[in-house]
């Protein structure tokens, strides 16, 4: 069952959306602000997000959601100027719906975004790095770069576990494939350093070392 996270500080609207989407067969969780939304993100498959929130602007929250988890985000907002919509898409949104809106149309747009997201392929993408794990292609700032098969496998593990600390032992176990291709501690370190050299710079640090434990993929500006 698909779980929808509703992020809306208007109690009446939030309750109405909860009831309506549950009746449509979705599992629903909700949050009144950005902080709570981020705490409830792990169990969700799509987010409906207002721009005007009490603790942070929705555009900022959208970027945080996209950095933490690869799920679609739809803005539901009264901000209906062209620049507002552009800001929404520039922050990573998959759709932008202005209030007031039709519930049947909203249902269709949710379904369309989910279908498009599911059929988009096995891809990691942000404003700096793009990786297509199906085609085995990658680029940094539009410039194509090459990864080895082991580096692609390691990148897939990291990007699928954003925000989660992965111990070195966990990474070694995940890299041991069904052909029993062995990756040892030294090889792991070498591959991580190579990946860092290809995708990181002084401002962008994707792989953070958690000393004495392992690594975490955050993909945020430092």
């Amino acid at each position: 069952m698909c779980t929808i996270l509703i992020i809306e500080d208007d109690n009446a609207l939030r309750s109405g959306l909860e009831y309506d989407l549950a009746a449509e067969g979705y599992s629903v969780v909700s949050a009144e602000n950005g902080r709570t939304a981020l705490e409830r993100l792990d169990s969700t498959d799509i987010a409906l997000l207002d721009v005007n929130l009490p603790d942070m602007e929705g555009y900022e929250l959208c970027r945080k959601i996209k950095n933490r988890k690869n799920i679609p985000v739809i803005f539901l907002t009264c901000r209906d100027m062209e620049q507002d919509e552009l800001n929404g898409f520039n922050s990573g949104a998959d759709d932008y719906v202005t209030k007031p809106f039709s519930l049947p149309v909203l249902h269709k747009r949710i379904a369309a975004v989910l279908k498009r997201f599911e059929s988009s392929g096995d891809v990691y993408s942000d404003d700096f790095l793009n990786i297509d794990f199906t085609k085995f292609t990658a680029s940094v700032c539009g410039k194509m770069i090459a990864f080895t098969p082991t580096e692609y496998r390691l990148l897939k593990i990291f990007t699928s576990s954003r925000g989660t600390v992965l111990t070195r032992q966990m990474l070694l176990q995940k890299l041991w494939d069904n052909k029993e291709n062995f990756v040892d501690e030294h090889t792991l370190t070498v591959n991580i350093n190579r990946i860092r050299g290809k995708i990181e710079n002084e401002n962008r640090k994707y792989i953070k070392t958690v000393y004495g434990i392992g690594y975490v993929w955050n993909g945020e500006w430092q």
Side-chain angles (χ1 to χ4, degrees):
M1 178 183 294
C2 178
T3 299
I4 296 180
L5 173 60
I6 301 170
I7 310 163
E8 170 62 63
D9 64 340
D10 184 312
N11 293 332
L13 177 57
R14 188 177 65 254
S15 296
L17 285 171
E18 288 173 355
Y19 178 84
D20 174 75
L21 293 172
E24 288 294 305
Y26 294 103
S27 173
V28 181
V29 294
S30 61
E32 299 178 4
N33 54 56
R35 178 184 57 80
T36 303
L38 292 172
E39 291 173 352
R40 297 176 179 172
L41 186 62
D42 288 345
S43 62
T44 61
D45 302 298
I46 182 173
L48 305 183
L49 170 61
D50 191 9
V51 173
N52 300 314
L53 296 171
D55 58 344
M56 69 178 74
E57 197 171 44
Y59 307 130
E60 177 188 358
L61 179 57
C62 182
R63 286 188 288 268
K64 288 180 179 292
I65 290 173
K66 289 290 188 175
N67 275 329
R68 186 168 299 188
K69 190 173 184 182
N70 189 29
I71 62 170
V73 175
I74 299 175
F75 275 103
L76 298 180
T77 177
C78 61
R79 302 269 287 268
D80 59 358
M81 300 296 290
E82 180 180 1
Q83 188 58 52
D84 296 321
E85 187 170 353
L86 290 173
N87 289 340
F89 285 114
N90 288 337
S91 67
D94 298 273
D95 202 351
Y96 194 97
V97 179
T98 56
K99 303 173 182 174
F101 51 83
S102 159
L103 286 173
V105 171
L106 176 62
H107 300 160
K108 294 294 185 182
R109 297 186 82 152
I110 291 172
V113 165
L114 286 170
K115 183 177 180 180
R116 185 169 69 245
F117 204 78
E118 290 170 359
S119 63
S120 63
D122 200 357
V123 173
Y124 173 88
S125 181
D126 59 31
D127 61 344
F128 183 78
L129 171 66
N130 295 278
I131 307 171
D132 189 320
F133 292 101
T134 302
K135 298 179 180 177
F136 294 101
T137 59
S139 65
V140 170
C141 286
K143 182 179 179 180
M144 299 303 293
I145 56 174
F147 293 115
T148 67
T150 299
E151 289 168 353
Y152 269 115
R153 288 166 58 205
L154 191 53
L155 282 162
K156 178 59 180 173
I157 294 167
F158 275 125
T159 57
S160 298
S161 307
R162 273 171 278 181
T164 301
V165 177
L166 300 171
T167 67
R168 293 180 65 84
Q169 188 60 37
M170 289 169 63
L171 290 169
L172 291 170
Q173 290 174 349
K174 289 176 179 291
L175 285 170
W176 191 302
D177 64 18
N178 56 10
K179 296 181 181 179
E180 297 188 352
N181 291 325
F182 180 68
V183 176
D184 60 19
E185 290 257 359
H186 174 71
T187 304
L188 175 63
T189 300
V190 169
N191 277 274
I192 289 176
N193 288 338
R194 285 178 177 170
I195 290 171
R196 282 172 162 164
K198 293 176 181 180
I199 68 174
E200 295 186 349
N201 58 32
E202 61 182 6
N203 294 317
R204 175 76 78 171
K205 305 297 181 185
Y206 280 99
I207 303 173
K208 178 182 178 181
T209 299
V210 182
Y211 291 100
I213 301 177
Y215 305 91
V216 61
W217 178 277
N218 53 35
E220 296 178 352
W221 291 100
Q222 303 297 305

